Amino acid sequence: MELRGLYYRSKFVRSVVTDPTLPSFLANLAGEPLYPHFLLMDAPSVNFGKVTNDTVIEGVVDPWHFDSVAYVGVSLISDIEGMVGGELQVVKRRRKEALSLIYKTKNKVAEKDLLNVKYARSGNCIFVQGSEMVHRVTRVISAAEPRLSLVMAFQPANVFQPDKSVLDTCGTSTRSMVPRTMKIGRAHV
């Protein structure tokens, strides 16, 4: 489950992603200036991972996917001490090759082709090129509380930089409008 629209509903969350300190710090990691992504409905969101036996596909609650934005920072905000599961798995291939591997193996990617990432403690953040890496999250088997992750989306500040936003996941009713809105927003920063 995902809670969206936090940019509009929470002054605190909005200040976290727009305060110059965070984008400036992440820009050093990215090697280029960054802005919060203009798809503000999703730019900051919270994912909830409950302890459950319900899975989408064999032990995962978040199937293989790549993100819609160039850069993503994911910070765990819940107590993860003693948590079993809830790990980020990344296919060690470029996006197109990773999707082909998942298809060829019928969703049974070998361990040697995976990078398993486990957060060391609450508050840690993983910063990645979300639209370039295919990943998923395993189900939470046991935990003191639900796995809550704050997802923050960023894009290059340079309007002449190629746009890596991937809008295939937007609903068909908004697909034609969102790109125009984002292009207008990027041009007026």
Side-chain angles (χ1 to χ4, degrees):
M1 182 166 72
E2 183 176 13
L3 177 61
R4 296 179 175 188
L6 295 175
Y7 185 89
Y8 301 109
R9 300 185 63 81
S10 170
K11 185 177 180 180
F12 171 75
V13 172
R14 186 170 46 253
S15 69
V16 167
V17 297
T18 58
D19 182 286
T21 308
L22 180 61
S24 176
F25 176 77
L26 296 176
N28 286 331
L29 299 175
E32 62 181 325
L34 300 176
Y35 284 129
H37 198 278
F38 286 110
L39 197 54
L40 296 175
M41 187 65 175
D42 295 323
S45 63
V46 174
N47 287 333
F48 295 81
K50 298 178 186 176
V51 175
T52 182
N53 289 325
D54 296 334
T55 59
V56 177
I57 300 170
E58 299 177 30
V60 298
V61 291
D62 192 8
W64 292 116
H65 68 282
F66 52 89
D67 296 327
S68 301
V69 297
Y71 296 102
V72 177
V74 180
S75 181
L76 283 185
I77 55 178
S78 56
D79 179 11
I80 62 167
E81 189 170 331
M83 180 183 290
V84 178
E87 293 182 355
L88 173 67
Q89 291 185 321
V90 180
V91 179
K92 297 184 209 176
R93 301 269 193 293
R94 295 194 179 274
R95 183 176 71 197
K96 190 175 180 179
E97 295 169 13
L99 293 171
S100 177
L101 180 64
I102 292 164
Y103 177 77
K104 286 178 185 173
T105 63
K106 294 185 169 94
N107 202 38
K108 298 195 185 307
V109 179
E111 282 295 320
K112 68 179 180 57
D113 294 316
L114 295 177
L115 172 66
N116 290 297
V117 181
K118 187 172 175 108
Y119 290 85
R121 64 179 187 268
S122 298
N124 283 13
C125 180
I126 295 174
F127 182 65
V128 296
Q129 290 183 318
S131 63
E132 297 298 319
M133 58 176 256
V134 177
H135 58 283
R136 68 182 181 185
V137 176
T138 63
R139 82 176 170 94
V140 177
I141 297 166
S142 67
E145 61 186 26
R147 180 189 187 273
L148 302 177
S149 55
L150 175 65
V151 181
M152 301 163 285
F154 297 91
Q155 67 186 25
N158 180 352
V159 297
F160 299 107
Q161 183 84 335
D163 187 2
K164 291 187 176 184
S165 298
V166 180
L167 302 173
D168 293 10
T169 58
C170 292
T172 55
S173 62
T174 59
R175 190 175 293 149
S176 63
M177 191 60 180
V178 171
R180 289 186 209 126
T181 305
M182 287 175 34
K183 298 286 185 204
I184 292 167
R186 283 187 74 194
H188 288 92
V189 172

